[in-house]
């Protein structure tokens, strides 16, 4: 008896499935319906990254504001990320926002999305290649421009021997930043690879680096949370090195107020997420080309002791 | 147990086809795969379309090739934690040799294969000679390779990812074998899916139909006993480690020629996914029991869940949690079916 009932369920399910796979291809149901759009946001972030959580908040806020559906997903492995883009194309979304940390790895998938008539916007990294792949625009902070600005600022502060802390192996953008810092600093910039998933280890690595070379007068971190590790490391090592960082958090701003961190570069991740979705929305709704084929800058904005109080308020909301 | 008095030996007792089918290690995974498929096919629009299917088949294929090789090794009673990072290691080897030193691309591919097999053989040699658990030995290899992938690659090419691979002379030739796609009924299928099927069939054949297959079950089930009856334990185990290394090379090539790039962090952490897929597919952690097709089905489940979650529109922050629950569920179904099948004997 049981077995027959099971058979019935399976048979019914199979029938329903056939019906289902038939309707899936009919239409995308979105075009023409004002505001009824679905966008896939696919970044190269690892799960639980504070910076990318702000990007995600930006995309979700834009989705709420415009009344569109936003699906956020991420994979640090370019092969995995490109598979998610393929998935979004198969899902016939109305637009894709993608961060291109490794353009070569995403080339095929992004071109396939463009070929399928799906508008693509790149955010964060990928400014050099977005046009080539057919993306409508890029929203982000040029790693080179930001890195050079930081190098200049560090030089103005009188620093000449800086450790550049890289928290993510395989991220081309981070390497570019450190390189650009060296171009304007005019001194020595040495990269230090750390395990970004383990803050205690990050702090220990920086500490030993400072202990090993007492002539180091600056530590530059490339993510907000690592600046806190660096501040701890400087104290632990009894070093006089100054700390500067890319990206913000509440703690970073408090440390800037206290003078423990020289400055923080804000590339405004919330803006990247929000504008990424906005660009697609305006394209679908109104045929607009935000940026007119040129990249749109989301930063850099410097947070120093002077303006830290204002920024802190927003950082508490998780939007800066 | 047969009641017939005419049976001379209970081991020769015939069992019904249903009971025999249920006793296969992969049957739980098969049922779980059907459940997962039906769930996403019924709850999302895209999952069961040709375009949707091509995405989860692609995800499953590279995981599946590794899972099958890892399953063979697990049946033989060993682990290989360096299997994941091996995929990055081989891809980076080819990338560095061609883009930086201008070596012929086919030669580079062969060099990567030789290096991979050497690492596999070394893994096996150390496990057999030192008597250390393979968990420890391959954990060591895992870290060494991870370090090489980052430090040596950065030292040589000054970057952490291969750039300009598609401009290498004759790139199109291996790209056809490892990275091309073809169309079946409106679905774009990656050639890696064919590799996956081929690897599964060959591994199943070796396990079920050859003497080497018997050896694998024997060394995994009872190593010293099998040595006493003349099974070449040393050779079998080294061969198994070389098999996972070979699979790592194959997947490294599939990734390199699909995306035309490989990063220093490629494959790190994937080794656990392979082991999970093999276990979902019916392999016992203690060795001596399991199947290749089961591991392939385990990878299929993983691929379907991995792509099904975005199709469902769920918050991707939940992906790992959902994945864990579904994999545990698959294992439980697996166990339950196997126990019932064994009781029904």
């Amino acid at each position: 008896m049981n077995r027959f009932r099971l058979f019935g369920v399976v048979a019914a399910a199979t029938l329903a499935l056939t019906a289902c796979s038939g309707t899936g291809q009919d239409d995308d149901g979105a075009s023409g319906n004002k505001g009824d759009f679905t966008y896939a946001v696919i970044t190269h972030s690892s799960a639980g990254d504070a910076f990318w959580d702000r990007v995600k908040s930006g995309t979700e806020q834009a989705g709420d504001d415009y009344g569109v559906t936003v699906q956020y997903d991420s994979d640090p492995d370019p092969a995995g990320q490109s598979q998610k883009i393929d998935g979004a194309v198969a899902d016939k979304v109305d637009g894709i926002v993608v961060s291109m940390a490794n353009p070569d790895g995403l080339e095929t998938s992004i071109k396939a999305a463009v070929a399928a008539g799906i508008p693509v916007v790149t955010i964060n990294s990928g400014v050099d290649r977005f046009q080539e792949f057919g993306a409508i625009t890029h929203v982000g902070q040029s790693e080179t421009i930001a890195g050079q600005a930081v190098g200049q600022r560090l030089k103005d502060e009188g620093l000449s021997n800086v450790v550049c802390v890289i928290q993510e192996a395989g991220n081309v953008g981070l390497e570019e930043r450190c390189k650009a810092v060296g171009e304007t600093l005019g001194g020595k910039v040495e990269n230090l690879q750390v395990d970004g998933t383990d803050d205690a280890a990050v702090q220990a690595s920086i500490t030993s680096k400072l202990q090993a070379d007492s002539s180091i007068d600056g530590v530059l971190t490339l993510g907000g949370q690592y600046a806190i590790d660096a501040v701890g490391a400087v104290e632990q090592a009894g070093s006089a090195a100054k700390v500067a960082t890319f990206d913000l958090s509440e703690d970073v701003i408090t440390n800037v107020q206290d003078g423990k961190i020289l400055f923080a570069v804000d590339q405004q991740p919330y803006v990247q997420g929000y504008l990424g979705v906005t660009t697609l929305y305006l394209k679908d709704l109104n045929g607009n080309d935000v940026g007119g084929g040129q990249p749109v800058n989301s930063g850099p904005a410097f947070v120093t002791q002077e303006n830290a109080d204002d920024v802190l308020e927003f950082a508490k909301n998780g939007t800066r | 147990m047969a009641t017939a008095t005419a049976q001379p030996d209970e081991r020769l007792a015939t069992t019904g086809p249903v009971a025999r089918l249920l006793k296969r290690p992969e049957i739980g995974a098969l049922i779980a795969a059907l459940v997962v498929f039906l769930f996403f096919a019924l709850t999302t629009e895209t999952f069961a379309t040709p375009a949707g299917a091509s995405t989860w088949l692609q995800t499953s294929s590279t995981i599946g090739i590794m899972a099958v090789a890892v399953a063979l090794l697990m049946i033989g009673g060993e682990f290989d934690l360096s299997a994941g990072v091996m995929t990055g290691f081989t891809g980076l080897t080819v990338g560095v040799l061609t883009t930086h030193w201008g070596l012929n691309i086919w030669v580079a591919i062969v060099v990567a294969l030789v290096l991979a097999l050497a690492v596999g053989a070394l893994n096996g040699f150390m496990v057999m000679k030192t008597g250390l658990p393979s968990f420890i030995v391959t954990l060591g290899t895992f870290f060494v390779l991870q370090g090489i992938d980052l430090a040596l690659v950065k030292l040589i090419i000054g970057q952490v990812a291969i750039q300009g691979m598609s401009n290498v002379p004759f790139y199109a030739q291996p790209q056809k074998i490892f990275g091309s796609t073809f169309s079946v009924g409106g679905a774009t299928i990656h050639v890696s899916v064919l590799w996956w099927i081929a690897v599964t069939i060959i591994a199943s054949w070796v396990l079920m139909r050859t003497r080497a297959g018997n050896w694998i079950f024997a060394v995994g089930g009872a190593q010293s006993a099998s040595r006493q009856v003349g099974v070449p334990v040393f050779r079998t185990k080294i061969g198994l480690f070389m098999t996972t290394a070979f699979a790592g090379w194959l997947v490294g090539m599939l990734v390199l020629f699909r995306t035309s790039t490989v990063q220093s962090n490629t494959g790190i952490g994937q080794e656990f996914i392979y082991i999970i897929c093999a276990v979902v597919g019916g392999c016992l952690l203690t060795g001596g029991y399991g199947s290749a097709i089961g591991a392939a089905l385990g990878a299929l489940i993983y691929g379907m869940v991995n792509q099904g979650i975005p199709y469902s529109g769920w918050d991707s922050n939940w992906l790992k949690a959902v994945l864990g629950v579904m994999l545990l569920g698959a294992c439980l179904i697996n166990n339950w079916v196997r126990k019932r099948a064994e009781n029904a004997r």
Side-chain angles (χ1 to χ4, degrees):
Chain A
M1 192 61 192
N2 248 338
R3 201 173 292 171
F4 283 106
R5 209 184 301 154
L6 178 70
F7 178 75
V9 170
V10 171
T14 317
L15 278 177
L17 160 71
T18 353
C20 221
S21 45
T23 54
Q25 304 148 324
D26 282 347
D27 61 337
D28 55 21
S31 45
N33 267 349
K34 185 185 169 185
D36 187 14
F37 302 123
T38 301
Y39 299 129
V41 182
I42 302 162
T43 72
H44 69 273
S45 151
S46 3
D49 184 303
F51 175 89
W52 287 100
D53 196 52
R54 285 170 165 74
V55 174
K56 190 180 180 196
S57 300
T59 62
E60 281 165 354
Q61 186 61 50
D64 285 352
D65 289 353
Y66 305 139
V68 299
T69 310
V70 170
Q71 295 166 348
Y72 183 94
D73 207 350
S74 68
D75 195 328
D77 172 27
Q81 201 192 351
S82 67
Q83 280 168 19
K84 290 192 190 298
I85 298 171
D86 294 343
V89 173
D91 214 4
K92 296 192 171 68
V93 296
D94 300 291
I96 299 175
V97 177
V98 59
S99 68
M100 281 206 301
N102 190 332
D104 281 355
L106 304 183
E107 182 171 0
T108 319
S109 296
I110 290 181
K111 283 184 173 166
V114 172
I118 298 173
V120 176
V121 172
T122 61
I123 60 168
N124 187 253
S125 27
V127 67
D128 303 323
R129 309 278 299 271
F130 79 95
Q131 286 167 323
E132 180 193 329
F133 293 175
I136 54 177
T137 193
H138 174 87
V139 183
Q141 163 186 270
S142 158
E143 306 290 17
T144 312
I145 292 175
Q148 286 169 344
V150 168
Q152 186 60 48
R153 222 173 163 116
L154 291 174
K155 187 184 180 185
D156 296 344
E157 298 282 348
L159 306 187
S160 61
N161 185 1
V162 175
V163 175
C164 195
V165 183
I166 296 187
Q167 74 272 18
E168 199 183 308
N171 185 326
V172 182
L174 298 182
E175 304 263 337
E176 275 176 17
R177 272 186 208 169
C178 292
K179 203 170 144 229
V181 170
E183 285 164 14
T184 48
L185 181 75
K188 185 177 158 202
V189 176
E190 197 182 345
N191 292 4
L192 176 65
Q193 179 71 50
V194 296
D195 178 5
T197 58
D198 183 351
D199 280 291
V202 172
Q203 183 169 339
S205 300
I206 301 173
T207 306
S208 11
K209 188 77 194 169
L210 291 171
Q211 284 166 341
D213 181 357
S214 55
S215 70
I216 292 171
D217 53 13
V219 179
L220 176 65
T221 54
L222 306 181
Q225 73 190 91
Y226 310 112
I228 309 302
D229 301 335
V231 168
V234 167
E235 282 168 8
Q236 204 177 328
S239 159
K242 301 262 175 42
V243 177
T245 187
F246 279 80
D247 303 338
L248 295 185
S249 71
E250 243 182 282
D251 290 345
V252 168
I253 298 169
T254 323
N255 275 287
V256 170
Q257 286 174 324
D258 297 347
K260 287 181 183 164
I261 295 177
L262 217 46
F263 61 83
V265 187
D266 187 9
Q267 58 173 317
Q268 310 190 95
Y270 187 86
V271 171
Q272 296 181 354
Y274 197 94
L275 277 190
V277 171
T278 304
T279 306
L280 289 175
Y281 180 70
L282 289 175
K283 177 78 175 172
D284 283 332
L285 188 75
N286 206 29
N288 289 127
D289 285 318
V290 176
Q294 294 301 313
V296 177
N297 281 336
S298 67
F302 282 92
V303 178
T304 58
Q305 219 158 2
E306 284 90 67
N307 64 354
D309 296 346
D310 302 334
V311 179
L312 182 62
E313 190 186 323
F314 300 116
K316 278 184 178 158
N317 302 332
T319 57
R320 264 200 88 173
Chain B
M1 308 292 161
T3 49
T5 47
Q7 289 289 0
D9 187 336
E10 48 121 25
R11 285 171 298 180
L12 295 176
T14 52
T15 42
V18 175
R20 210 156 53 211
L21 181 72
L22 285 176
K23 255 184 273 177
R24 300 282 318 138
E26 62 271 7
I27 194 69
L30 182 65
I31 293 170
L34 280 173
V35 170
V36 170
F37 176 81
L38 285 176
F39 176 76
F40 284 117
L42 295 174
T43 55
T44 72
E45 276 184 14
T46 315
F47 189 80
T49 63
S54 79
T55 64
W56 47 260
L57 278 176
Q58 188 195 343
T59 308
S60 305
S61 62
T62 45
I63 299 281
I65 291 167
M66 293 307 294
V68 166
V70 165
L72 292 187
L73 184 66
M74 280 175 67
I75 295 170
E78 305 290 347
F79 284 101
D80 188 352
L81 295 182
S82 66
V85 78
M86 182 68 84
T87 64
F89 174 72
T90 54
L92 287 165
T93 304
V94 173
V96 170
L97 288 176
T98 53
T99 60
H100 190 75
W101 280 318
L103 196 68
N104 176 282
I105 196 160
W106 285 107
V107 178
I109 289 170
V110 173
V111 169
L113 174 61
V114 171
L115 281 179
L117 291 176
V119 173
L122 186 68
N123 272 338
F125 186 80
M126 284 195 290
V127 167
M128 296 310 289
K129 279 294 170 195
T130 61
L132 287 172
S134 55
F135 194 92
I136 298 299
V137 169
T138 58
L139 188 64
T141 329
F142 163 68
F143 279 116
V144 171
L145 288 179
Q146 190 181 346
I148 288 175
D149 282 3
L150 180 60
L152 191 62
V153 169
K154 176 81 207 254
L155 194 68
I156 296 172
I157 65 172
Q159 301 200 45
V160 288
I162 300 297
Q163 305 290 318
M165 189 68 206
S166 50
N167 301 325
V168 167
F170 309 115
Y171 175 79
Q173 293 174 359
Q175 205 270 340
K176 220 167 250 142
I177 298 175
F178 296 116
S180 60
T181 58
F182 56 95
S183 200
V184 176
T188 307
I189 303 293
H190 285 259
V191 73
S192 56
V193 176
L194 294 186
W195 281 104
W196 177 34
I197 294 168
V199 165
T200 309
I201 290 172
I202 293 169
S204 295
W205 177 76
V206 168
L207 265 187
M208 309 303 296
R209 291 274 179 272
T210 69
R211 202 160 54 151
N214 279 332
W215 290 345
I216 294 171
F217 280 109
V219 297
Q223 186 168 315
S224 51
S226 52
R227 185 177 279 125
Q228 281 153 10
V229 297
V231 172
V233 175
F234 192 79
R235 246 194 309 150
T236 307
K237 293 236 172 171
I238 286 191
L240 286 172
F241 278 105
M242 288 173 78
T243 305
T244 56
F246 172 83
W249 167 82
L250 177 57
V251 171
M253 296 307 106
L254 292 170
V255 171
L256 177 66
F257 289 103
R258 183 175 67 209
T259 61
S260 85
T261 186
V262 174
Q263 297 184 164
S264 290
N265 59 359
T266 298
I268 294 169
Q270 296 284 321
E271 53 282 341
F272 292 110
I273 306 286
Y274 311 147
I275 292 173
I276 285 171
C277 290
V279 172
V280 167
C283 287
L284 291 185
L285 286 164
T286 46
Y289 186 82
S291 82
I293 191 139
L297 286 167
L300 183 65
I301 294 171
Y302 176 82
M304 289 195 293
V305 173
N306 208 12
Q307 292 290 339
I309 285 173
Y311 285 144
S312 304
W314 298 336
D315 186 338
S316 59
N317 284 355
W318 289 101
L319 187 134
K320 286 275 158 64
V322 172
L323 213 54
V325 170
M326 296 201 83
L327 289 168
L328 276 179
C331 279
L332 287 176
I333 295 176
N334 201 344
N335 267 353
W336 178 76
V337 171
R338 195 165 57 219
K339 274 200 190 116
R340 278 183 65 108
E342 275 163 6
N343 290 340
R345 198 165 0 199

Coordinates of all heavy atoms in Angstrom, one line a residue, chain B residues 17 25 31-32 57 66 99-100 135 157-158 167 175 177 180 183 189 198 201 245 256 265 308 313:
Chain B
P17 N 16.3 -9.2 -7.2 CA 16.9 -8.1 -7.9 C 16.7 -6.8 -7.1 O 17.6 -5.9 -7.1 CB 16.2 -8.0 -9.2 CG 15.0 -8.8 -9.1 CD 15.2 -9.8 -8.0
P25 N 26.2 0.5 -2.8 CA 26.5 1.7 -2.0 C 25.9 3.0 -2.5 O 25.6 3.9 -1.7 CB 28.0 1.7 -2.0 CG 28.5 0.6 -2.7 CD 27.3 -0.1 -3.4
I31 N 18.8 8.1 -4.7 CA 17.5 8.6 -4.2 C 17.6 10.0 -3.8 O 16.8 10.9 -4.1 CB 17.0 7.7 -3.0 CG1 16.7 6.3 -3.6 CG2 15.8 8.3 -2.4 CD1 16.4 5.2 -2.5
A32 N 18.7 10.3 -3.0 CA 18.9 11.7 -2.6 C 19.0 12.7 -3.8 O 18.4 13.8 -3.7 CB 20.1 11.8 -1.7
L57 N 25.3 21.0 -14.1 CA 26.1 19.9 -14.6 C 27.6 20.4 -14.6 O 28.5 19.6 -14.3 CB 25.7 19.5 -16.0 CG 24.5 18.5 -16.0 CD1 24.1 18.3 -17.5 CD2 24.8 17.2 -15.3
M66 N 37.0 14.7 -9.3 CA 37.9 14.6 -8.1 C 37.2 13.6 -7.1 O 37.9 12.8 -6.4 CB 38.1 15.9 -7.4 CG 38.9 16.9 -8.2 SD 40.5 16.3 -8.7 CE 41.3 16.1 -7.1
T99 N 53.1 31.2 -20.2 CA 53.0 32.6 -20.3 C 54.3 33.3 -19.9 O 54.7 34.4 -20.4 CB 51.9 33.2 -19.4 OG1 52.2 32.9 -18.1 CG2 50.6 32.7 -19.8
H100 N 55.1 32.7 -19.0 CA 56.3 33.4 -18.5 C 57.6 32.9 -19.2 O 58.4 33.7 -19.6 CB 56.5 33.2 -17.0 CG 57.6 34.0 -16.4 ND1 57.4 35.4 -16.2 CD2 58.8 33.7 -16.0 CE1 58.5 35.9 -15.7 NE2 59.4 34.9 -15.6
F135 N 46.2 11.1 6.4 CA 45.6 12.4 6.8 C 46.8 13.4 7.1 O 46.7 14.5 6.7 CB 44.8 12.2 8.1 CG 43.9 13.3 8.4 CD1 42.6 13.4 7.9 CD2 44.3 14.4 9.2 CE1 41.7 14.4 8.2 CE2 43.5 15.5 9.5 CZ 42.2 15.5 9.0
I157 N 56.4 35.2 -11.6 CA 55.6 36.0 -12.5 C 55.2 37.4 -11.9 O 54.7 38.2 -12.6 CB 54.4 35.3 -13.1 CG1 53.3 35.0 -12.0 CG2 54.8 34.1 -13.8 CD1 52.0 34.5 -12.6
G158 N 55.5 37.6 -10.6 CA 55.2 38.8 -9.9 C 53.7 39.1 -9.7 O 53.3 40.2 -9.4
N167 N 46.6 34.1 -25.1 CA 47.4 34.5 -26.2 C 48.6 33.6 -26.4 O 49.4 33.8 -27.3 CB 48.0 35.9 -25.9 CG 46.9 36.9 -25.7 OD1 45.9 36.8 -26.4 ND2 47.1 37.9 -24.8
Q175 N 42.6 23.8 -25.6 CA 41.3 24.4 -25.2 C 40.1 23.6 -25.7 O 39.1 23.5 -25.1 CB 41.2 25.9 -25.7 CG 40.4 26.8 -24.9 CD 38.9 26.8 -25.4 OE1 38.7 26.5 -26.6 NE2 38.0 27.2 -24.6
I177 N 40.1 20.4 -26.1 CA 39.9 19.1 -25.4 C 39.4 19.4 -24.0 O 38.7 18.6 -23.4 CB 41.3 18.4 -25.3 CG1 41.7 18.1 -26.8 CG2 41.2 17.2 -24.5 CD1 43.1 17.5 -26.8
S180 N 36.2 23.3 -24.2 CA 35.2 23.7 -25.1 C 33.8 23.4 -24.6 O 33.6 22.7 -23.6 CB 35.5 23.0 -26.5 OG 35.4 21.6 -26.3
S183 N 26.5 21.8 -27.8 CA 25.1 22.1 -27.6 C 24.3 20.8 -27.7 O 24.5 20.0 -28.6 CB 24.6 23.1 -28.6 OG 23.4 23.7 -28.1
I189 N 26.6 22.4 -23.0 CA 27.3 21.5 -22.1 C 28.8 21.7 -22.2 O 29.4 21.7 -23.3 CB 26.9 20.0 -22.5 CG1 25.4 19.8 -22.4 CG2 27.6 19.1 -21.5 CD1 24.8 19.9 -21.1
A198 N 33.3 9.9 -18.4 CA 34.3 9.0 -18.8 C 35.1 8.5 -17.5 O 35.3 7.3 -17.3 CB 35.3 9.6 -19.7
I201 N 32.9 6.1 -15.5 CA 32.8 4.7 -16.1 C 34.1 3.9 -16.0 O 34.0 2.8 -15.6 CB 32.4 4.9 -17.6 CG1 31.0 5.4 -17.8 CG2 32.6 3.5 -18.4 CD1 30.6 5.8 -19.2
A245 N 46.1 12.4 -7.8 CA 46.9 13.4 -8.4 C 46.6 13.6 -9.9 O 46.5 14.7 -10.4 CB 48.4 13.0 -8.2
L256 N 41.7 25.6 -16.0 CA 42.6 26.6 -16.8 C 42.0 26.9 -18.1 O 42.0 28.1 -18.6 CB 44.0 26.0 -16.9 CG 45.0 26.8 -17.7 CD1 45.3 28.1 -16.9 CD2 46.3 26.0 -17.9
N265 N 45.0 30.8 -5.1 CA 44.2 30.2 -4.1 C 43.2 29.2 -4.6 O 42.4 28.7 -3.9 CB 43.4 31.3 -3.3 CG 42.5 32.1 -4.2 OD1 42.5 31.9 -5.4 ND2 41.8 33.0 -3.7
G308 N 21.1 25.4 -7.2 CA 19.6 25.5 -6.9 C 19.3 26.7 -5.9 O 18.3 27.3 -6.0
G313 N 16.4 32.0 -5.2 CA 16.3 33.4 -4.7 C 16.6 33.5 -3.2 O 16.2 34.5 -2.6

